[in-house]
Amino acid sequence: MAGIKDVRCGHVEVPVHRARASGPTLRLQVVILEAVAAPAGAATPVFVLSSQPAMAGGAAIVRQLASHPVRRDRDIVLIDQRGFGLNRASCQAEKAQLFQVFADSISAAPFEDALRGIVRRCLARLSDVGIDRRALTYPAMAADVEAVRRALRVPHIHLWGLGFSARTALEVMRAYPDRVSAVVLDAVQPPGALWMRDWRRNFHRALARVDTICKTERSCAKALGSATGAVTDASAGLVHQPFPFTIAHGPDAEPTRFVLNALGFQFLLHYLPQNRRLLPVLPLVVRSVSERRAETIGQMVSLSWASTSMLRLSTVYSIACADRGFDAADLAADHDAHPTLFAIDHIALCEALGVPAPKARPPVVSDRPTLLVNGAFSNGSPPRYGALVAETLSRSQTLPLADDGDGATVSRPCAQARVRAFFQNPTAPADAPCSIDRQPFVFDVAWMPQILSLARDLEAQPRLVLGGAVGLAVLLVLSAVGWPLQALAERRAGRFDRGRTARFVIGGYAALALVAMAGVAAGLYRTGTETPSLLLFGLPAGYGPVGLLWTAVAVAAVPIAALVGLAWRRRWYRLTGRLIATGVAFAGLALAAVAFGYGFF
């Protein structure tokens, strides 16, 4: 793991089928982030379960946990769960086929038919590399966790389940209670795969939550009015008249023609309300559909589709179908309660996968200390799911998150601190609820697709991109501070009049560049975004003047460089002054290259 200290990587072999120990095996990738401020192995380690693809080998979750406060006290162990980890299977061809069906589907039926067939083929590809669909179950994944614990020879573990895999942590608590010391469940769901049953209900609840915000937040009321009403109206319009648009695949490739129906529109929206960083985009999407902005919608769909993993989706469906605790009558009730909202027929999907109706999965009963974290903005794991789980956990406590959705225990400082405190003393009562950001919601977001290129570069080379930005900022700050001091020294030496006009122009330019960079930083802070990689949709629209500043900085960079060259030629300033001026010119040219390279104006 490049850039991460004190990390160990390895794997553990486990049987595909527990009943056949001499049969085929799976290789589970394991990453251990050793404690920073304590001897390795001195405290009970934390096993983190996540369903992200190639989780233990993926840089994002590893880098987040590498700097997490929990790591100060104890080792963090990340496990690639079966079906989600590093494997040789690929469903890119199937993803392309589904992409084309989605492009051609005016109604939902063809898309659902294609999805069922493609999920079957993706699961078959997993089988080709030794991952049998019938072995993709929560009890099997719980046994994998126990196998890793035995391989590491630790007597007890703390568990930390994230999202879909919080359900796996519950199964570990059920099957191996004596090996678990304490548990954190972030976005937990009770047994029964209720998210499949409650798709419409949860989405409606999330929209109602946005409606509540709009009653107090002026920017929300102005941008959206009523979220429920706006989504319902836009969906109804797409039922009567689907929205055609195209997606470009490069200068030499033929664009794909799409037809956006109500199902596709609501899929595009579904996860926005559960993520505080993406919530401001909701009115932008609704407005773009209502106003038929083909180019904007095409870019958004392309972004959403690019982040979709068909292997992960197929694995999730297979596991959830084997865990489901609902029938067709439950789905019908969900539809009747919210007939204007759309959802996939999950019963038909599970039957197409050949997953039989499971036996009833009773709730998990445990006396292990447990911290339940279900954010108010979550669609798939709303707070009522956490309440259901807590009913049979005798020593559970809840950390309410009124301002966020899933994953706050990894990314938000308040929740991070609570998780660390809980693992240090699991029996202590939780503190007051977390108010995650204490920042106003921002709904006046302007679409900036150019930022996507920067985001991709940041994900690929985070140290280079962020290091360059910080370096330029430091250079400008030093120049802004050093320039007046150098000018004062020149005045005392009687040389102040030499290049006086150029002195003020260069100093003013340095200040302008600093203000432009500070404006972008303020925009990031205002949207509650820690890194530009999360700012996929642009800055708040109110930051338009910042764009003008960047344009001025970029356009003036070459004349400033020429002026600095003239200062060297005519020796207007001492060597220190000329070096400072050169730093300003270099920073300006670099900012201009960024602005022109990413098409920011």
Side-chain angles (χ1 to χ4, degrees), residues 352-416:
L353 297 182
V355 180
K359 298 178 181 178
R361 297 296 295 170
V364 174
V365 179
S366 176
D367 63 355
R368 300 293 87 187
T370 306
L371 180 65
L372 298 161
V373 185
N374 286 75
F377 282 94
S378 176
N379 285 357
S381 306
R384 61 190 178 89
Y385 284 3
L388 286 173
V389 172
E391 290 178 357
T392 55
L393 303 180
S394 60
R395 300 172 67 191
S396 66
Q397 51 185 314
T398 300
L399 175 62
L401 293 179
D403 297 337
D404 216 316
D406 299 344
T409 58
V410 173
S411 61
R412 297 302 189 182
C414 173
Q416 288 177 341

Side-chain angles (χ1 to χ4, degrees), residues 390-586:
E391 290 178 357
T392 55
L393 303 180
S394 60
R395 300 172 67 191
S396 66
Q397 51 185 314
T398 300
L399 175 62
L401 293 179
D403 297 337
D404 216 316
D406 299 344
T409 58
V410 173
S411 61
R412 297 302 189 182
C414 173
Q416 288 177 341
R418 301 296 170 81
V419 170
R420 183 192 183 199
F422 174 77
F423 283 138
Q424 288 175 325
N425 187 359
T427 60
D431 294 331
C434 275
S435 180
I436 296 297
D437 283 324
R438 299 189 185 277
Q439 299 175 26
F441 286 88
V442 179
F443 286 89
D444 54 344
V445 174
W447 176 244
M448 272 183 66
Q450 300 91 340
I451 203 73
L452 295 179
S453 298
L454 179 60
R456 294 189 185 101
D457 288 346
L458 179 61
E459 292 295 340
Q461 298 177 309
R463 298 177 68 181
L464 177 62
V465 177
L466 289 178
V470 172
L472 288 177
V474 170
L475 184 60
L476 286 171
V477 169
L478 291 177
S479 300
V481 173
W483 194 244
L485 296 177
Q486 193 276 337
L488 182 60
E490 295 272 356
R491 179 183 287 276
R492 289 178 177 175
R495 294 167 52 93
F496 185 76
D497 290 336
R498 299 186 63 181
R500 171 183 286 189
T501 302
R503 187 189 306 277
F504 286 114
V505 171
I506 294 172
Y509 180 79
L512 184 70
L514 268 178
V515 171
M517 293 188 73
V520 173
L524 293 173
Y525 177 79
R526 189 181 171 205
T527 55
T529 303
E530 291 88 353
T531 64
S533 63
L534 297 176
L535 188 66
L536 299 181
F537 297 93
L539 292 174
Y543 281 80
V546 175
L548 295 177
L549 286 178
W550 271 77
T551 301
V553 168
V555 170
V558 173
I560 290 295
L563 192 61
V564 172
L566 193 61
W568 276 92
R569 183 175 181 180
R570 297 186 178 180
R571 298 181 177 272
W572 283 339
Y573 319 121
R574 292 179 178 178
L575 179 61
T576 303
R578 281 177 278 161
L579 289 176
I580 293 175
T582 302
V584 173
F586 176 80

Side-chain angles (χ1 to χ4, degrees), residues 22 25 31 42 57 62 84 155 175 207 255 265 291 326 392 400 441 472 487 510 588:
S22 60
T25 61
V31 171
V62 175
F84 294 111
L207 292 177
F265 168 58
E291 298 175 2
F326 56 89
T392 55
F441 286 88
L472 288 177

